[in-house]
Amino acid sequence: MKQTIICLSLSLLLFVGCGSKKEVTTAAFHSYETECLGKSMDGTQTLKVWASGTDKSDAIEEAKKKAVYEVTFNGITAGTGDCSAYPVIDEPNARTKHQAYFDKFFSDGSKYKKYVTLHGQPKDSKEEFQGAGSTMYGITVVVNRSELRKRFVKDKIIKE
């Protein structure tokens, strides 16, 4: 009887120990804040933006849109500190005040794309975090802040 109990206990430990191991992810502990990687004298800012999508190309497009949005309305405070912490549009409630304009500006394939480019090749972005059913990608983009500002002045969204 004692041998049977020992055999069953060892079998149970062996069975549990050989089970599939659950992959541990650090996605829940990562900050997905847009980060400044640097700025240039020509008025551009290089940013690391975290975005998700059904695939990497969707995430890249989402990152471009998010980068322009962040520079326009929020400013960039994380990262090296080289980037302007101030948004291009610092008027309170500008997004809702000019909602029709910005809905059109940020629609897929629209005007915002003129002010953002991918920095390097998409395959160079090796940072990915898998979470609850989605993958976050760290995408490096360049936003032309000075041209974006000129556009909003021309369209009478902000004053010079």
Side-chain angles (χ1 to χ4, degrees):
M1 182 71 169
K2 192 175 187 181
Q3 287 180 339
T4 307
I5 292 174
I6 291 174
C7 280
L8 286 173
S9 297
L10 288 175
S11 298
L12 181 62
L13 285 174
L14 184 63
F15 180 73
V16 171
C18 291
S20 65
K21 300 209 184 225
K22 188 167 183 132
E23 187 176 322
V24 177
T25 180
T26 59
F29 304 107
H30 191 275
S31 169
Y32 294 117
E33 190 173 0
T34 299
E35 303 170 50
C36 173
L37 300 179
K39 71 176 183 176
S40 297
M41 296 299 284
D42 63 357
T44 60
Q45 296 178 328
T46 304
L47 309 172
K48 173 167 268 180
V49 184
W50 294 92
S52 62
T54 55
D55 58 20
K56 195 162 192 170
S57 63
D58 284 346
I60 289 169
E61 291 309 309
E62 183 62 30
K64 288 178 179 179
K65 187 182 291 188
K66 183 177 177 184
V68 173
Y69 188 92
E70 293 279 333
V71 168
T72 301
F73 297 110
N74 301 330
I76 307 300
T77 56
T80 66
D82 287 342
C83 295
S84 177
Y86 299 103
V88 172
I89 300 175
D90 59 357
E91 176 187 350
N93 301 318
R95 175 72 172 101
T96 53
K97 182 179 175 184
H98 305 285
Q99 184 171 354
Y101 174 86
F102 287 114
D103 285 349
K104 187 175 179 183
F105 186 83
F106 285 106
S107 65
D108 289 339
S110 194
K111 297 175 185 176
Y112 76 91
K113 285 189 170 196
K114 292 179 183 178
Y115 306 98
V116 62
T117 56
L118 194 60
H119 182 72
Q121 297 296 321
K123 63 184 175 195
D124 292 342
S125 177
K126 299 199 182 348
E127 291 186 287
E128 306 178 5
F129 293 98
Q130 293 197 340
S134 67
T135 302
M136 293 293 286
Y137 296 94
I139 310 294
T140 305
V141 298
V142 177
V143 176
N144 194 331
R145 181 184 173 88
S146 63
E147 290 299 315
L148 193 59
R149 180 170 172 49
K150 287 177 188 176
R151 174 64 184 239
F152 295 143
V153 168
K154 180 183 169 218
D155 292 347
K156 296 182 170 81
I157 300 299
I158 59 174
K159 295 176 183 165
E160 242 178 294

